[in-house]
Amino acid sequence: MLKIEDCYLAGTFTKTHGVKGELVAKKNSNLLEKNKLESVFVDIDGGLVPFFIPKNGITPRNHSTVRIVIEDLDSEAKAQRFIGCDIYIPMKDAPEFIEEADDLDPNLLIGFLYIDEEKGELGEIEDIQDYSGNIVLVISVNNQEVLIPFAEENFIEINEENKTITMETPDGLIDMYLSE
């Protein structure tokens, strides 16, 4: 049985599209539209359930969403049940995306464990935010949201297999958040 830890979080279904069972998903990366996926896994009640996608079943809507057609999902009522469910792609089906940091889509790091070079394991990357082109990793440390700049010069190691990223965090940044 496939585990969530062995997959990339590719997006989340946000609403239905039309009356024929199509869905709209907010994407976390370009994995959904760049790959010619035959199937995706949907987190339903904590378990990953495979769903097949017909040829050309994933089409971009705008920069942050895609329209997805799932085989045998033929009504708005059936599609409604998927709203809020996360979409996963097995690591083995995702392209080798961590060749060079220049090509790295930061959204693919959601779910990775963030390790600081000095402080060790800090927590899981929960979100990626873009502030006018400045990308930051969002991590929860001791129930405190910590924003860490996504800068190539801070990378030390990215381990896809273990879903970890080790970085050199700017001096004092973590302490600044935790001292509040």
Side-chain angles (χ1 to χ4, degrees):
M1 183 172 168
L2 191 63
K3 297 178 185 169
I4 287 177
E5 299 82 43
D6 299 326
C7 298
Y8 292 114
L9 175 61
T12 303
F13 289 116
T14 57
K15 63 183 182 177
T16 60
H17 179 83
V19 295
K20 295 182 181 177
E22 296 177 2
L23 289 154
V24 173
K26 179 178 185 258
K27 59 185 184 169
N28 290 342
S29 68
N30 293 328
L31 280 178
L32 287 172
E33 68 214 65
K34 283 194 173 179
N35 295 336
K36 293 184 177 10
L37 297 172
E38 295 177 2
S39 66
V40 293
F41 287 81
V42 179
D43 183 357
I44 298 176
D45 297 328
L48 292 179
V49 180
F51 289 93
F52 294 98
I53 299 170
K55 187 176 181 178
N56 299 322
I58 299 177
T59 54
R61 289 185 72 225
N62 56 41
H63 72 284
S64 63
T65 63
V66 293
R67 184 177 52 86
I68 299 179
V69 176
I70 294 177
E71 283 185 10
D72 301 323
L73 194 62
D74 55 9
S75 74
E76 185 179 6
K78 288 180 184 176
Q80 198 76 30
R81 295 183 223 154
F82 286 81
I83 294 174
C85 293
D86 290 331
I87 306 163
Y88 290 90
I89 298 174
M91 284 188 204
K92 66 178 182 57
D93 294 340
E96 293 297 322
F97 66 90
I98 304 182
E99 295 291 325
E100 296 181 21
D102 291 343
D103 298 334
L104 176 61
D105 180 350
N107 290 298
L108 296 173
L109 297 174
I110 293 174
F112 274 55
L113 177 64
Y114 184 91
I115 302 171
D116 177 66
E117 180 183 42
E118 292 181 14
K119 296 189 181 304
E121 293 182 6
L122 291 181
E124 185 177 298
I125 299 171
E126 296 177 347
D127 194 15
I128 304 295
Q129 295 181 2
D130 185 345
Y131 295 99
S132 302
N134 296 311
I135 308 295
V136 295
L137 308 174
V138 179
I139 301 164
S140 179
V141 180
N142 300 332
N143 295 322
Q144 175 72 35
E145 183 178 80
V146 176
L147 304 178
I148 299 175
F150 181 76
E152 182 181 343
E153 60 270 11
N154 295 340
F155 284 108
I156 294 172
E157 177 186 22
I158 298 175
N159 186 321
E160 287 180 84
E161 188 175 319
N162 295 326
K163 291 186 80 170
T164 62
I165 179 170
T166 304
M167 290 179 68
E168 180 183 343
T169 310
D171 288 338
L173 182 67
I174 297 165
D175 295 332
M176 177 184 78
Y177 281 102
L178 300 180
S179 65
E180 293 177 352

